[in-house]
Amino acid sequence: MRPESPQPQPPREGRLLPWPGAEGKPCYLLTDDCGGPVSRLADATESIQLDMGTQLLAHAHDMLPGTPPGDLRFLAERLTEALRDALRVAESRGRRLNHLN
């Protein structure tokens, strides 16, 4: 009887990190260790980004009535940044969930 050879594993998709790489391009982590230091840093960064988005949304809700246009531009720029970060987190988490199915 021959010993069974291990089945080749499909290539793992990299984790989309919550910060951009060079020139603003997506940055990915390729590892088998889900609890490694870069994964933990990415988890913490995602948490901070989502919390910032929540705080900005609450601030916008309070600020919008009667706000001067210059202040609205600043708020819109920060909300745009927070939405970009939140969408990157959602994309990264969605990809990881698809690998569990």
Side-chain angles (χ1 to χ4, degrees):
M1 181 186 283
R2 291 188 311 195
E4 290 185 31
S5 60
Q7 295 293 329
Q9 297 294 320
R12 292 184 60 150
E13 185 174 335
R15 174 183 178 174
L16 178 63
L17 294 173
W19 52 79
E23 300 173 8
K25 295 181 180 179
C27 187
Y28 295 91
L29 174 64
L30 301 174
T31 182
D32 290 335
D33 183 7
C34 294
V38 177
S39 290
R40 289 192 307 273
L41 177 61
D43 291 341
T45 302
E46 287 177 351
S47 179
I48 291 167
Q49 288 173 332
L50 293 175
D51 185 54
M52 287 291 296
T54 300
Q55 291 178 29
L56 276 168
L57 184 58
H59 180 65
H61 184 269
D62 294 340
M63 184 179 172
L64 284 175
T67 302
D71 291 346
L72 287 177
R73 178 174 176 84
F74 179 79
L75 179 61
E77 289 171 351
R78 300 298 77 77
L79 286 169
T80 300
E81 292 167 359
L83 178 58
R84 181 200 61 228
D85 292 342
L87 290 173
R88 184 181 293 125
V89 170
E91 181 181 350
S92 176
R93 290 181 180 182
R95 288 180 182 194
R96 286 183 279 154
L97 286 175
N98 284 338
H99 287 290
L100 297 176
N101 296 332

